[in-house]
Every structure is written in structure tokens, then in C-alpha cells.
Amino acid sequence: MKEIEILKEVNKSSKVGIDGINFILEKAIDNEFKNMLYTQKDEYQNVYERSKNLLLQNGEKSEDTPPVQKAMSWMGIQMSTLTNTTDSKLAEILIQGNDMGIIKGTKLLNSMNFKEQSIKNILNDFVSLQQENIDELKKYL
């Protein structure tokens, strides 16, 4: 995988994270939990903007989440929370998403010899962000 493709993946994945948190926020009730989610959303937004700027510097563009993928994500969250919208269930859904991101990001970090340090840094930051998110979400399980 080329480095620019990795950057596109970080950009797309951070946008998916923002979308997912927005879907969860619709169901969250506890203010402390919501505040934590808003903070995590801001951190995803930061990664999204950084990756978008790097893409532009490399003559590429940032793409929005495809509508079908966004709808599938929304539907998955709706189905997972039909009978349970507790903070614990919402945190579990987010932990699962972050965990998938950590696995994918770590595989990319371990499989590449990066020439562009800024791309490696943003991928590393994205993986670290997701681990931090999991650590924060665990207290709601």
C-alpha cells in the first residue's frame, strides 16, 4: 500500500469515527458520557483536518464517507441498541470500532517502511488516539 493510500485511509477512518460518535450521541443520556464523546469527536476532527491538509499538500483530496457506508453504520448502531441504550452498551459499540481501527492501523505501521515521516506520525497518532478512547470508554462498561 502506498503512503498516500494510507493517508486516505486515516482520513476516511477519522471521518467514520466522527460519524459513529454522532450516531451514539443521539442515544447517550449521561452528561459526563456525552462530554467524553464530544472530546473524542474533537480529537477525531483534529486527525481528520491534519490528514485532509496533508492530502491537499500531496495534490489529493479528502472524501466524505460514502452514503451507503454511513447508512450501514447508522443501521448497525440502531440494531445494536434496539433493546439496550445504556452507557455500557454504547461504550461497548465504540470500543469495538476503536479496536478494529487499532488492529488495522497497527498492521499498516508494522508493514510499511515510511519515507514520509508526517504520514507515519499521523497514523501513529490515530492508533494512539483510539487506544486512549478505549481506555476512557472502559469505565462505562
Side-chain angles (χ1 to χ4, degrees), residues 14 17-18 21 33 36-45 47 91 94-99 102 125-140:
S14 59
I18 293 166
I21 288 175
F33 184 64
M36 181 205 52
L37 293 178
Y38 281 118
T39 299
Q40 289 186 2
K41 182 179 162 184
D42 288 345
E43 291 167 351
Y44 275 117
Q45 187 68 43
V47 170
L94 290 169
I95 287 170
Q96 289 169 350
N98 280 281
D99 196 40
I102 289 171
D125 291 349
F126 189 59
V127 171
S128 296
L129 165 64
Q130 291 175 99
Q131 184 60 58
E132 291 166 13
N133 289 348
I134 288 174
D135 292 343
E136 290 175 344
L137 288 160
K138 281 181 184 177
K139 69 181 173 184
Y140 292 96

PDB file of all heavy atoms in Angstrom, residues 14 17-18 21 33 36-45 47 91 94-99 102 125-140:
ATOM      1  N   SER A  14     -11.010   8.474  10.218  1.00  0.00           N
ATOM      2  CA  SER A  14     -11.306   9.508  11.207  1.00  0.00           C
ATOM      3  C   SER A  14     -12.697  10.084  10.973  1.00  0.00           C
ATOM      4  O   SER A  14     -13.426  10.380  11.921  1.00  0.00           O
ATOM      5  CB  SER A  14     -10.240  10.602  11.208  1.00  0.00           C
ATOM      6  OG  SER A  14     -10.127  11.219   9.948  1.00  0.00           O
ATOM      7  N   GLY A  17     -15.137   7.673  12.347  1.00  0.00           N
ATOM      8  CA  GLY A  17     -15.166   7.835  13.797  1.00  0.00           C
ATOM      9  C   GLY A  17     -16.063   8.997  14.219  1.00  0.00           C
ATOM     10  O   GLY A  17     -16.840   8.882  15.171  1.00  0.00           O
ATOM     11  N   ILE A  18     -15.960  10.102  13.512  1.00  0.00           N
ATOM     12  CA  ILE A  18     -16.808  11.268  13.791  1.00  0.00           C
ATOM     13  C   ILE A  18     -18.275  10.899  13.589  1.00  0.00           C
ATOM     14  O   ILE A  18     -19.124  11.189  14.439  1.00  0.00           O
ATOM     15  CB  ILE A  18     -16.411  12.457  12.889  1.00  0.00           C
ATOM     16  CG1 ILE A  18     -15.023  12.972  13.254  1.00  0.00           C
ATOM     17  CG2 ILE A  18     -17.450  13.580  12.970  1.00  0.00           C
ATOM     18  CD1 ILE A  18     -14.413  13.917  12.226  1.00  0.00           C
ATOM     19  N   ILE A  21     -19.545   8.536  16.382  1.00  0.00           N
ATOM     20  CA  ILE A  21     -19.798   9.244  17.640  1.00  0.00           C
ATOM     21  C   ILE A  21     -21.075  10.063  17.532  1.00  0.00           C
ATOM     22  O   ILE A  21     -21.877  10.109  18.475  1.00  0.00           O
ATOM     23  CB  ILE A  21     -18.583  10.100  18.043  1.00  0.00           C
ATOM     24  CG1 ILE A  21     -17.443   9.187  18.502  1.00  0.00           C
ATOM     25  CG2 ILE A  21     -18.963  11.091  19.157  1.00  0.00           C
ATOM     26  CD1 ILE A  21     -16.147   9.893  18.816  1.00  0.00           C
ATOM     27  N   PHE A  33     -20.775  11.193  30.126  1.00  0.00           N
ATOM     28  CA  PHE A  33     -20.506  10.324  28.986  1.00  0.00           C
ATOM     29  C   PHE A  33     -20.525  11.145  27.696  1.00  0.00           C
ATOM     30  O   PHE A  33     -19.637  11.027  26.857  1.00  0.00           O
ATOM     31  CB  PHE A  33     -21.544   9.195  28.950  1.00  0.00           C
ATOM     32  CG  PHE A  33     -21.312   8.167  27.878  1.00  0.00           C
ATOM     33  CD1 PHE A  33     -20.184   7.355  27.888  1.00  0.00           C
ATOM     34  CD2 PHE A  33     -22.237   7.983  26.866  1.00  0.00           C
ATOM     35  CE1 PHE A  33     -19.969   6.393  26.905  1.00  0.00           C
ATOM     36  CE2 PHE A  33     -22.048   7.027  25.878  1.00  0.00           C
ATOM     37  CZ  PHE A  33     -20.910   6.227  25.899  1.00  0.00           C
ATOM     38  N   MET A  36     -17.417  13.294  27.315  1.00  0.00           N
ATOM     39  CA  MET A  36     -16.278  12.489  26.878  1.00  0.00           C
ATOM     40  C   MET A  36     -16.372  12.228  25.374  1.00  0.00           C
ATOM     41  O   MET A  36     -15.379  12.309  24.652  1.00  0.00           O
ATOM     42  CB  MET A  36     -16.224  11.163  27.635  1.00  0.00           C
ATOM     43  CG  MET A  36     -15.043  10.303  27.231  1.00  0.00           C
ATOM     44  SD  MET A  36     -15.294   8.539  27.511  1.00  0.00           S
ATOM     45  CE  MET A  36     -16.838   8.220  26.702  1.00  0.00           C
ATOM     46  N   LEU A  37     -17.567  11.930  24.883  1.00  0.00           N
ATOM     47  CA  LEU A  37     -17.762  11.681  23.457  1.00  0.00           C
ATOM     48  C   LEU A  37     -17.466  12.928  22.630  1.00  0.00           C
ATOM     49  O   LEU A  37     -16.856  12.832  21.556  1.00  0.00           O
ATOM     50  CB  LEU A  37     -19.181  11.183  23.185  1.00  0.00           C
ATOM     51  CG  LEU A  37     -19.536   9.808  23.741  1.00  0.00           C
ATOM     52  CD1 LEU A  37     -20.990   9.472  23.426  1.00  0.00           C
ATOM     53  CD2 LEU A  37     -18.605   8.743  23.217  1.00  0.00           C
ATOM     54  N   TYR A  38     -17.881  14.073  23.106  1.00  0.00           N
ATOM     55  CA  TYR A  38     -17.582  15.318  22.384  1.00  0.00           C
ATOM     56  C   TYR A  38     -16.070  15.551  22.304  1.00  0.00           C
ATOM     57  O   TYR A  38     -15.556  15.982  21.270  1.00  0.00           O
ATOM     58  CB  TYR A  38     -18.264  16.523  23.035  1.00  0.00           C
ATOM     59  CG  TYR A  38     -19.725  16.644  22.690  1.00  0.00           C
ATOM     60  CD1 TYR A  38     -20.698  16.568  23.687  1.00  0.00           C
ATOM     61  CD2 TYR A  38     -20.148  16.842  21.379  1.00  0.00           C
ATOM     62  CE1 TYR A  38     -22.042  16.684  23.375  1.00  0.00           C
ATOM     63  CE2 TYR A  38     -21.496  16.958  21.062  1.00  0.00           C
ATOM     64  CZ  TYR A  38     -22.440  16.875  22.068  1.00  0.00           C
ATOM     65  OH  TYR A  38     -23.773  16.980  21.750  1.00  0.00           O
ATOM     66  N   THR A  39     -15.371  15.228  23.378  1.00  0.00           N
ATOM     67  CA  THR A  39     -13.909  15.370  23.379  1.00  0.00           C
ATOM     68  C   THR A  39     -13.293  14.401  22.373  1.00  0.00           C
ATOM     69  O   THR A  39     -12.406  14.774  21.599  1.00  0.00           O
ATOM     70  CB  THR A  39     -13.343  15.107  24.789  1.00  0.00           C
ATOM     71  OG1 THR A  39     -13.897  16.080  25.686  1.00  0.00           O
ATOM     72  CG2 THR A  39     -11.831  15.202  24.808  1.00  0.00           C
ATOM     73  N   GLN A  40     -13.751  13.163  22.367  1.00  0.00           N
ATOM     74  CA  GLN A  40     -13.231  12.190  21.409  1.00  0.00           C
ATOM     75  C   GLN A  40     -13.545  12.616  19.978  1.00  0.00           C
ATOM     76  O   GLN A  40     -12.700  12.492  19.087  1.00  0.00           O
ATOM     77  CB  GLN A  40     -13.804  10.800  21.687  1.00  0.00           C
ATOM     78  CG  GLN A  40     -13.241  10.177  22.948  1.00  0.00           C
ATOM     79  CD  GLN A  40     -13.698   8.748  23.161  1.00  0.00           C
ATOM     80  OE1 GLN A  40     -14.422   8.169  22.351  1.00  0.00           O
ATOM     81  NE2 GLN A  40     -13.269   8.153  24.270  1.00  0.00           N
ATOM     82  N   LYS A  41     -14.725  13.147  19.768  1.00  0.00           N
ATOM     83  CA  LYS A  41     -15.097  13.635  18.442  1.00  0.00           C
ATOM     84  C   LYS A  41     -14.163  14.759  17.999  1.00  0.00           C
ATOM     85  O   LYS A  41     -13.720  14.793  16.840  1.00  0.00           O
ATOM     86  CB  LYS A  41     -16.549  14.119  18.456  1.00  0.00           C
ATOM     87  CG  LYS A  41     -17.056  14.611  17.137  1.00  0.00           C
ATOM     88  CD  LYS A  41     -18.511  15.051  17.265  1.00  0.00           C
ATOM     89  CE  LYS A  41     -18.913  15.923  16.123  1.00  0.00           C
ATOM     90  NZ  LYS A  41     -20.279  16.439  16.279  1.00  0.00           N
ATOM     91  N   ASP A  42     -13.839  15.670  18.911  1.00  0.00           N
ATOM     92  CA  ASP A  42     -12.901  16.756  18.588  1.00  0.00           C
ATOM     93  C   ASP A  42     -11.527  16.211  18.211  1.00  0.00           C
ATOM     94  O   ASP A  42     -10.868  16.733  17.306  1.00  0.00           O
ATOM     95  CB  ASP A  42     -12.754  17.719  19.780  1.00  0.00           C
ATOM     96  CG  ASP A  42     -13.983  18.574  20.002  1.00  0.00           C
ATOM     97  OD1 ASP A  42     -14.856  18.656  19.103  1.00  0.00           O
ATOM     98  OD2 ASP A  42     -14.091  19.163  21.100  1.00  0.00           O
ATOM     99  N   GLU A  43     -11.097  15.153  18.891  1.00  0.00           N
ATOM    100  CA  GLU A  43      -9.796  14.551  18.584  1.00  0.00           C
ATOM    101  C   GLU A  43      -9.814  13.886  17.201  1.00  0.00           C
ATOM    102  O   GLU A  43      -8.844  13.978  16.455  1.00  0.00           O
ATOM    103  CB  GLU A  43      -9.414  13.561  19.683  1.00  0.00           C
ATOM    104  CG  GLU A  43      -9.110  14.267  21.001  1.00  0.00           C
ATOM    105  CD  GLU A  43      -9.042  13.341  22.196  1.00  0.00           C
ATOM    106  OE1 GLU A  43      -9.394  12.151  22.073  1.00  0.00           O
ATOM    107  OE2 GLU A  43      -8.650  13.820  23.274  1.00  0.00           O
ATOM    108  N   TYR A  44     -10.905  13.219  16.886  1.00  0.00           N
ATOM    109  CA  TYR A  44     -11.049  12.655  15.533  1.00  0.00           C
ATOM    110  C   TYR A  44     -11.048  13.778  14.490  1.00  0.00           C
ATOM    111  O   TYR A  44     -10.452  13.642  13.429  1.00  0.00           O
ATOM    112  CB  TYR A  44     -12.354  11.867  15.395  1.00  0.00           C
ATOM    113  CG  TYR A  44     -12.281  10.436  15.856  1.00  0.00           C
ATOM    114  CD1 TYR A  44     -13.050   9.989  16.924  1.00  0.00           C
ATOM    115  CD2 TYR A  44     -11.468   9.516  15.206  1.00  0.00           C
ATOM    116  CE1 TYR A  44     -13.011   8.669  17.337  1.00  0.00           C
ATOM    117  CE2 TYR A  44     -11.416   8.197  15.615  1.00  0.00           C
ATOM    118  CZ  TYR A  44     -12.190   7.780  16.684  1.00  0.00           C
ATOM    119  OH  TYR A  44     -12.141   6.475  17.086  1.00  0.00           O
ATOM    120  N   GLN A  45     -11.730  14.868  14.810  1.00  0.00           N
ATOM    121  CA  GLN A  45     -11.795  16.005  13.886  1.00  0.00           C
ATOM    122  C   GLN A  45     -10.395  16.562  13.632  1.00  0.00           C
ATOM    123  O   GLN A  45     -10.062  16.913  12.505  1.00  0.00           O
ATOM    124  CB  GLN A  45     -12.715  17.095  14.453  1.00  0.00           C
ATOM    125  CG  GLN A  45     -12.981  18.237  13.511  1.00  0.00           C
ATOM    126  CD  GLN A  45     -13.815  17.836  12.305  1.00  0.00           C
ATOM    127  OE1 GLN A  45     -14.788  17.099  12.435  1.00  0.00           O
ATOM    128  NE2 GLN A  45     -13.454  18.310  11.136  1.00  0.00           N
ATOM    129  N   VAL A  47      -7.533  14.873  13.743  1.00  0.00           N
ATOM    130  CA  VAL A  47      -6.843  13.934  12.850  1.00  0.00           C
ATOM    131  C   VAL A  47      -7.387  14.075  11.428  1.00  0.00           C
ATOM    132  O   VAL A  47      -6.624  14.071  10.453  1.00  0.00           O
ATOM    133  CB  VAL A  47      -6.982  12.469  13.346  1.00  0.00           C
ATOM    134  CG1 VAL A  47      -6.478  11.481  12.311  1.00  0.00           C
ATOM    135  CG2 VAL A  47      -6.236  12.285  14.663  1.00  0.00           C
ATOM    136  N   ALA A  91     -20.773   2.354  25.025  1.00  0.00           N
ATOM    137  CA  ALA A  91     -19.318   2.295  25.160  1.00  0.00           C
ATOM    138  C   ALA A  91     -18.782   1.026  24.487  1.00  0.00           C
ATOM    139  O   ALA A  91     -17.748   1.066  23.816  1.00  0.00           O
ATOM    140  CB  ALA A  91     -18.918   2.320  26.632  1.00  0.00           C
ATOM    141  N   LEU A  94     -18.563   1.498  20.730  1.00  0.00           N
ATOM    142  CA  LEU A  94     -17.434   2.359  20.377  1.00  0.00           C
ATOM    143  C   LEU A  94     -16.096   1.665  20.585  1.00  0.00           C
ATOM    144  O   LEU A  94     -15.171   1.825  19.785  1.00  0.00           O
ATOM    145  CB  LEU A  94     -17.490   3.669  21.174  1.00  0.00           C
ATOM    146  CG  LEU A  94     -18.632   4.612  20.774  1.00  0.00           C
ATOM    147  CD1 LEU A  94     -18.760   5.738  21.784  1.00  0.00           C
ATOM    148  CD2 LEU A  94     -18.399   5.164  19.376  1.00  0.00           C
ATOM    149  N   ILE A  95     -15.985   0.881  21.644  1.00  0.00           N
ATOM    150  CA  ILE A  95     -14.743   0.136  21.893  1.00  0.00           C
ATOM    151  C   ILE A  95     -14.479  -0.830  20.739  1.00  0.00           C
ATOM    152  O   ILE A  95     -13.341  -0.940  20.267  1.00  0.00           O
ATOM    153  CB  ILE A  95     -14.798  -0.602  23.248  1.00  0.00           C
ATOM    154  CG1 ILE A  95     -14.669   0.419  24.396  1.00  0.00           C
ATOM    155  CG2 ILE A  95     -13.712  -1.662  23.348  1.00  0.00           C
ATOM    156  CD1 ILE A  95     -14.941  -0.162  25.769  1.00  0.00           C
ATOM    157  N   GLN A  96     -15.509  -1.506  20.274  1.00  0.00           N
ATOM    158  CA  GLN A  96     -15.338  -2.447  19.161  1.00  0.00           C
ATOM    159  C   GLN A  96     -14.833  -1.720  17.906  1.00  0.00           C
ATOM    160  O   GLN A  96     -13.946  -2.211  17.211  1.00  0.00           O
ATOM    161  CB  GLN A  96     -16.648  -3.172  18.873  1.00  0.00           C
ATOM    162  CG  GLN A  96     -17.016  -4.155  19.953  1.00  0.00           C
ATOM    163  CD  GLN A  96     -18.430  -4.695  19.816  1.00  0.00           C
ATOM    164  OE1 GLN A  96     -19.231  -4.223  19.018  1.00  0.00           O
ATOM    165  NE2 GLN A  96     -18.743  -5.700  20.622  1.00  0.00           N
ATOM    166  N   GLY A  97     -15.387  -0.550  17.624  1.00  0.00           N
ATOM    167  CA  GLY A  97     -14.939   0.228  16.471  1.00  0.00           C
ATOM    168  C   GLY A  97     -13.501   0.691  16.611  1.00  0.00           C
ATOM    169  O   GLY A  97     -12.709   0.596  15.671  1.00  0.00           O
ATOM    170  N   ASN A  98     -13.156   1.190  17.807  1.00  0.00           N
ATOM    171  CA  ASN A  98     -11.785   1.618  18.053  1.00  0.00           C
ATOM    172  C   ASN A  98     -10.815   0.455  17.960  1.00  0.00           C
ATOM    173  O   ASN A  98      -9.710   0.605  17.434  1.00  0.00           O
ATOM    174  CB  ASN A  98     -11.677   2.283  19.433  1.00  0.00           C
ATOM    175  CG  ASN A  98     -12.135   3.707  19.445  1.00  0.00           C
ATOM    176  OD1 ASN A  98     -11.400   4.604  19.032  1.00  0.00           O
ATOM    177  ND2 ASN A  98     -13.349   3.953  19.902  1.00  0.00           N
ATOM    178  N   ASP A  99     -11.230  -0.697  18.452  1.00  0.00           N
ATOM    179  CA  ASP A  99     -10.369  -1.878  18.418  1.00  0.00           C
ATOM    180  C   ASP A  99     -10.053  -2.283  16.978  1.00  0.00           C
ATOM    181  O   ASP A  99      -8.911  -2.603  16.645  1.00  0.00           O
ATOM    182  CB  ASP A  99     -11.034  -3.028  19.168  1.00  0.00           C
ATOM    183  CG  ASP A  99     -10.066  -4.137  19.499  1.00  0.00           C
ATOM    184  OD1 ASP A  99      -8.914  -3.845  19.873  1.00  0.00           O
ATOM    185  OD2 ASP A  99     -10.460  -5.309  19.380  1.00  0.00           O
ATOM    186  N   ILE A 102      -7.460   0.113  15.672  1.00  0.00           N
ATOM    187  CA  ILE A 102      -6.125  -0.154  16.217  1.00  0.00           C
ATOM    188  C   ILE A 102      -5.474  -1.307  15.451  1.00  0.00           C
ATOM    189  O   ILE A 102      -4.301  -1.233  15.072  1.00  0.00           O
ATOM    190  CB  ILE A 102      -6.191  -0.474  17.722  1.00  0.00           C
ATOM    191  CG1 ILE A 102      -6.539   0.785  18.514  1.00  0.00           C
ATOM    192  CG2 ILE A 102      -4.874  -1.077  18.213  1.00  0.00           C
ATOM    193  CD1 ILE A 102      -6.850   0.532  19.977  1.00  0.00           C
ATOM    194  N   ASP A 125      -0.423   8.584  15.549  1.00  0.00           N
ATOM    195  CA  ASP A 125      -1.298   9.381  16.413  1.00  0.00           C
ATOM    196  C   ASP A 125      -2.720   8.836  16.401  1.00  0.00           C
ATOM    197  O   ASP A 125      -3.393   8.809  17.428  1.00  0.00           O
ATOM    198  CB  ASP A 125      -1.314  10.847  15.976  1.00  0.00           C
ATOM    199  CG  ASP A 125       0.006  11.558  16.233  1.00  0.00           C
ATOM    200  OD1 ASP A 125       0.874  11.002  16.935  1.00  0.00           O
ATOM    201  OD2 ASP A 125       0.164  12.681  15.713  1.00  0.00           O
ATOM    202  N   PHE A 126      -3.175   8.404  15.216  1.00  0.00           N
ATOM    203  CA  PHE A 126      -4.525   7.874  15.088  1.00  0.00           C
ATOM    204  C   PHE A 126      -4.682   6.574  15.878  1.00  0.00           C
ATOM    205  O   PHE A 126      -5.684   6.386  16.573  1.00  0.00           O
ATOM    206  CB  PHE A 126      -4.857   7.664  13.608  1.00  0.00           C
ATOM    207  CG  PHE A 126      -6.292   7.331  13.350  1.00  0.00           C
ATOM    208  CD1 PHE A 126      -7.308   8.195  13.727  1.00  0.00           C
ATOM    209  CD2 PHE A 126      -6.626   6.157  12.710  1.00  0.00           C
ATOM    210  CE1 PHE A 126      -8.641   7.890  13.476  1.00  0.00           C
ATOM    211  CE2 PHE A 126      -7.952   5.841  12.446  1.00  0.00           C
ATOM    212  CZ  PHE A 126      -8.961   6.710  12.834  1.00  0.00           C
ATOM    213  N   VAL A 127      -3.699   5.704  15.809  1.00  0.00           N
ATOM    214  CA  VAL A 127      -3.735   4.455  16.578  1.00  0.00           C
ATOM    215  C   VAL A 127      -3.705   4.764  18.079  1.00  0.00           C
ATOM    216  O   VAL A 127      -4.477   4.195  18.855  1.00  0.00           O
ATOM    217  CB  VAL A 127      -2.571   3.521  16.173  1.00  0.00           C
ATOM    218  CG1 VAL A 127      -2.463   2.328  17.119  1.00  0.00           C
ATOM    219  CG2 VAL A 127      -2.749   3.049  14.736  1.00  0.00           C
ATOM    220  N   SER A 128      -2.849   5.687  18.481  1.00  0.00           N
ATOM    221  CA  SER A 128      -2.770   6.063  19.902  1.00  0.00           C
ATOM    222  C   SER A 128      -4.077   6.671  20.390  1.00  0.00           C
ATOM    223  O   SER A 128      -4.524   6.387  21.510  1.00  0.00           O
ATOM    224  CB  SER A 128      -1.631   7.062  20.118  1.00  0.00           C
ATOM    225  OG  SER A 128      -0.390   6.467  19.829  1.00  0.00           O
ATOM    226  N   LEU A 129      -4.683   7.508  19.566  1.00  0.00           N
ATOM    227  CA  LEU A 129      -5.965   8.125  19.909  1.00  0.00           C
ATOM    228  C   LEU A 129      -7.020   7.059  20.178  1.00  0.00           C
ATOM    229  O   LEU A 129      -7.765   7.137  21.158  1.00  0.00           O
ATOM    230  CB  LEU A 129      -6.426   9.044  18.767  1.00  0.00           C
ATOM    231  CG  LEU A 129      -7.878   9.504  18.783  1.00  0.00           C
ATOM    232  CD1 LEU A 129      -8.167  10.373  19.990  1.00  0.00           C
ATOM    233  CD2 LEU A 129      -8.201  10.249  17.498  1.00  0.00           C
ATOM    234  N   GLN A 130      -7.058   6.057  19.334  1.00  0.00           N
ATOM    235  CA  GLN A 130      -8.057   5.010  19.513  1.00  0.00           C
ATOM    236  C   GLN A 130      -7.809   4.208  20.785  1.00  0.00           C
ATOM    237  O   GLN A 130      -8.756   3.817  21.470  1.00  0.00           O
ATOM    238  CB  GLN A 130      -8.094   4.114  18.275  1.00  0.00           C
ATOM    239  CG  GLN A 130      -8.656   4.898  17.091  1.00  0.00           C
ATOM    240  CD  GLN A 130      -8.607   4.122  15.816  1.00  0.00           C
ATOM    241  OE1 GLN A 130      -9.612   3.556  15.425  1.00  0.00           O
ATOM    242  NE2 GLN A 130      -7.446   4.068  15.185  1.00  0.00           N
ATOM    243  N   GLN A 131      -6.539   3.985  21.133  1.00  0.00           N
ATOM    244  CA  GLN A 131      -6.239   3.280  22.380  1.00  0.00           C
ATOM    245  C   GLN A 131      -6.664   4.126  23.577  1.00  0.00           C
ATOM    246  O   GLN A 131      -7.236   3.615  24.538  1.00  0.00           O
ATOM    247  CB  GLN A 131      -4.753   2.927  22.466  1.00  0.00           C
ATOM    248  CG  GLN A 131      -4.408   2.115  23.697  1.00  0.00           C
ATOM    249  CD  GLN A 131      -5.153   0.795  23.754  1.00  0.00           C
ATOM    250  OE1 GLN A 131      -5.057  -0.023  22.854  1.00  0.00           O
ATOM    251  NE2 GLN A 131      -5.924   0.576  24.811  1.00  0.00           N
ATOM    252  N   GLU A 132      -6.402   5.410  23.515  1.00  0.00           N
ATOM    253  CA  GLU A 132      -6.832   6.316  24.590  1.00  0.00           C
ATOM    254  C   GLU A 132      -8.359   6.317  24.708  1.00  0.00           C
ATOM    255  O   GLU A 132      -8.899   6.338  25.824  1.00  0.00           O
ATOM    256  CB  GLU A 132      -6.316   7.729  24.325  1.00  0.00           C
ATOM    257  CG  GLU A 132      -4.816   7.866  24.469  1.00  0.00           C
ATOM    258  CD  GLU A 132      -4.276   9.171  23.893  1.00  0.00           C
ATOM    259  OE1 GLU A 132      -5.073  10.095  23.593  1.00  0.00           O
ATOM    260  OE2 GLU A 132      -3.046   9.269  23.735  1.00  0.00           O
ATOM    261  N   ASN A 133      -9.044   6.310  23.571  1.00  0.00           N
ATOM    262  CA  ASN A 133     -10.509   6.277  23.591  1.00  0.00           C
ATOM    263  C   ASN A 133     -11.005   5.041  24.302  1.00  0.00           C
ATOM    264  O   ASN A 133     -11.917   5.103  25.142  1.00  0.00           O
ATOM    265  CB  ASN A 133     -11.070   6.303  22.167  1.00  0.00           C
ATOM    266  CG  ASN A 133     -10.903   7.636  21.487  1.00  0.00           C
ATOM    267  OD1 ASN A 133     -10.562   8.637  22.099  1.00  0.00           O
ATOM    268  ND2 ASN A 133     -11.142   7.661  20.202  1.00  0.00           N
ATOM    269  N   ILE A 134     -10.406   3.887  23.998  1.00  0.00           N
ATOM    270  CA  ILE A 134     -10.808   2.633  24.652  1.00  0.00           C
ATOM    271  C   ILE A 134     -10.593   2.737  26.152  1.00  0.00           C
ATOM    272  O   ILE A 134     -11.466   2.359  26.946  1.00  0.00           O
ATOM    273  CB  ILE A 134     -10.036   1.429  24.052  1.00  0.00           C
ATOM    274  CG1 ILE A 134     -10.553   1.141  22.642  1.00  0.00           C
ATOM    275  CG2 ILE A 134     -10.192   0.190  24.956  1.00  0.00           C
ATOM    276  CD1 ILE A 134      -9.765   0.081  21.908  1.00  0.00           C
ATOM    277  N   ASP A 135      -9.442   3.262  26.552  1.00  0.00           N
ATOM    278  CA  ASP A 135      -9.154   3.388  27.987  1.00  0.00           C
ATOM    279  C   ASP A 135     -10.194   4.250  28.682  1.00  0.00           C
ATOM    280  O   ASP A 135     -10.623   3.946  29.803  1.00  0.00           O
ATOM    281  CB  ASP A 135      -7.746   3.954  28.202  1.00  0.00           C
ATOM    282  CG  ASP A 135      -6.654   2.987  27.758  1.00  0.00           C
ATOM    283  OD1 ASP A 135      -6.939   1.779  27.598  1.00  0.00           O
ATOM    284  OD2 ASP A 135      -5.520   3.451  27.538  1.00  0.00           O
ATOM    285  N   GLU A 136     -10.641   5.321  28.025  1.00  0.00           N
ATOM    286  CA  GLU A 136     -11.676   6.193  28.614  1.00  0.00           C
ATOM    287  C   GLU A 136     -13.036   5.499  28.628  1.00  0.00           C
ATOM    288  O   GLU A 136     -13.805   5.657  29.586  1.00  0.00           O
ATOM    289  CB  GLU A 136     -11.779   7.496  27.816  1.00  0.00           C
ATOM    290  CG  GLU A 136     -10.592   8.412  27.977  1.00  0.00           C
ATOM    291  CD  GLU A 136     -10.679   9.649  27.061  1.00  0.00           C
ATOM    292  OE1 GLU A 136     -11.489   9.649  26.113  1.00  0.00           O
ATOM    293  OE2 GLU A 136      -9.937  10.589  27.326  1.00  0.00           O
ATOM    294  N   LEU A 137     -13.337   4.766  27.585  1.00  0.00           N
ATOM    295  CA  LEU A 137     -14.643   4.126  27.480  1.00  0.00           C
ATOM    296  C   LEU A 137     -14.811   2.949  28.433  1.00  0.00           C
ATOM    297  O   LEU A 137     -15.934   2.629  28.846  1.00  0.00           O
ATOM    298  CB  LEU A 137     -14.877   3.654  26.041  1.00  0.00           C
ATOM    299  CG  LEU A 137     -15.129   4.762  25.018  1.00  0.00           C
ATOM    300  CD1 LEU A 137     -14.870   4.263  23.607  1.00  0.00           C
ATOM    301  CD2 LEU A 137     -16.546   5.297  25.157  1.00  0.00           C
ATOM    302  N   LYS A 138     -13.715   2.309  28.822  1.00  0.00           N
ATOM    303  CA  LYS A 138     -13.782   1.123  29.682  1.00  0.00           C
ATOM    304  C   LYS A 138     -14.517   1.405  30.997  1.00  0.00           C
ATOM    305  O   LYS A 138     -15.195   0.521  31.512  1.00  0.00           O
ATOM    306  CB  LYS A 138     -12.380   0.614  30.004  1.00  0.00           C
ATOM    307  CG  LYS A 138     -11.755  -0.179  28.907  1.00  0.00           C
ATOM    308  CD  LYS A 138     -10.373  -0.643  29.356  1.00  0.00           C
ATOM    309  CE  LYS A 138      -9.644  -1.379  28.259  1.00  0.00           C
ATOM    310  NZ  LYS A 138      -8.289  -1.746  28.712  1.00  0.00           N
ATOM    311  N   LYS A 139     -14.410   2.612  31.503  1.00  0.00           N
ATOM    312  CA  LYS A 139     -15.049   2.894  32.795  1.00  0.00           C
ATOM    313  C   LYS A 139     -16.574   2.916  32.694  1.00  0.00           C
ATOM    314  O   LYS A 139     -17.255   2.917  33.704  1.00  0.00           O
ATOM    315  CB  LYS A 139     -14.509   4.192  33.400  1.00  0.00           C
ATOM    316  CG  LYS A 139     -14.875   5.448  32.701  1.00  0.00           C
ATOM    317  CD  LYS A 139     -14.243   6.632  33.413  1.00  0.00           C
ATOM    318  CE  LYS A 139     -14.464   7.911  32.629  1.00  0.00           C
ATOM    319  NZ  LYS A 139     -13.790   9.034  33.246  1.00  0.00           N
ATOM    320  N   TYR A 140     -17.093   2.900  31.479  1.00  0.00           N
ATOM    321  CA  TYR A 140     -18.540   2.882  31.293  1.00  0.00           C
ATOM    322  C   TYR A 140     -19.097   1.482  31.057  1.00  0.00           C
ATOM    323  O   TYR A 140     -20.313   1.319  30.918  1.00  0.00           O
ATOM    324  CB  TYR A 140     -18.946   3.818  30.140  1.00  0.00           C
ATOM    325  CG  TYR A 140     -18.701   5.251  30.493  1.00  0.00           C
ATOM    326  CD1 TYR A 140     -17.524   5.890  30.098  1.00  0.00           C
ATOM    327  CD2 TYR A 140     -19.612   5.968  31.244  1.00  0.00           C
ATOM    328  CE1 TYR A 140     -17.288   7.210  30.443  1.00  0.00           C
ATOM    329  CE2 TYR A 140     -19.385   7.285  31.596  1.00  0.00           C
ATOM    330  CZ  TYR A 140     -18.216   7.899  31.194  1.00  0.00           C
ATOM    331  OH  TYR A 140     -17.978   9.201  31.541  1.00  0.00           O
TER     332      TYR A 140
END
